[in-house]
Amino acid sequence: ESIVDWRNTTNYLRCNPSFHNFPRYDCVILQTQAGVIFGRLLMLFTCVMDGQTHPVALVHPYDAPVGQRSLKDKQFQFWRVRKRPGVSSKFFSVHSIIRGAVLAEDHSIQGDYLVIDTIDTDMFLRIKLMHKSAGHLP
């Protein structure tokens, strides 16, 4: 559901080892019990239990602590995420996916990524709310 106009929208997320002959594993925002996290889709599948089908995503979480925010991150209001070690992948219900996300690797710090919040208004507002709830903005 978009926080711009409260309408349901569709994100076409890809999770494919050979998407036009190249691997493509999209990133997502997930709602967890601990809060909102970012992650990269590794696999999507369904499980059937007691006759009910449950869609499941295997996700590599990008929720490792990033430490103190740098001056650059503060000035430009960057939202930085850090991926966990590869063995930290977890299973989530597909229903916990809020939306797709675009992350740009920060080559100056291994494992760090910057969230691109200018892809649309919904993403811009979501990141702004995350900054406010984290105490980054007045």
Side-chain angles (χ1 to χ4, degrees):
E1 184 175 273
S2 169
I3 62 172
V4 175
D5 58 12
W6 305 111
R7 293 183 185 174
N8 284 326
T9 57
T10 301
N11 280 165
Y12 293 100
L13 302 172
R14 286 158 180 90
C15 178
N16 192 325
S18 184
F19 183 77
H20 297 283
N21 297 319
F22 293 96
R24 169 118 181 226
Y25 297 95
D26 289 348
C27 292
V28 293
I29 302 174
L30 295 157
Q31 181 65 56
T32 69
Q33 291 177 343
V36 174
I37 67 166
F38 289 82
R40 184 172 303 275
L41 291 175
L42 300 177
M43 187 180 297
L44 297 167
F45 54 94
T46 57
C47 291
V48 179
M49 295 181 341
D50 296 327
Q52 291 187 340
T53 302
H54 302 278
V56 178
L58 178 62
V59 177
H60 186 160
Y62 284 28
D63 63 345
V66 294
Q68 190 168 352
R69 294 179 73 216
S70 70
L71 181 60
K72 174 180 64 173
D73 289 0
K74 290 177 186 176
Q75 290 175 336
F76 292 109
Q77 296 183 8
F78 288 148
W79 189 268
R80 180 177 298 274
V81 295
R82 181 171 292 157
K83 69 179 179 178
R84 290 202 175 271
V87 295
S88 300
S89 299
K90 297 180 181 180
F91 294 102
F92 295 91
S93 168
V94 168
H95 301 294
S96 67
I97 297 174
I98 297 172
R99 61 162 293 152
V102 177
L103 305 180
E105 187 172 2
D106 181 353
H107 294 284
S108 65
I109 304 173
Q110 186 175 356
D112 276 19
Y113 294 80
L114 299 173
V115 177
I116 307 299
D117 63 354
T118 55
I119 58 172
D120 61 30
T121 308
D122 180 70
M123 189 64 160
F124 178 80
L125 293 175
R126 284 182 192 279
I127 298 302
K128 188 171 184 173
L129 287 172
M130 290 173 71
H131 276 296
K132 282 186 178 181
S133 67
H136 299 165
L137 298 175

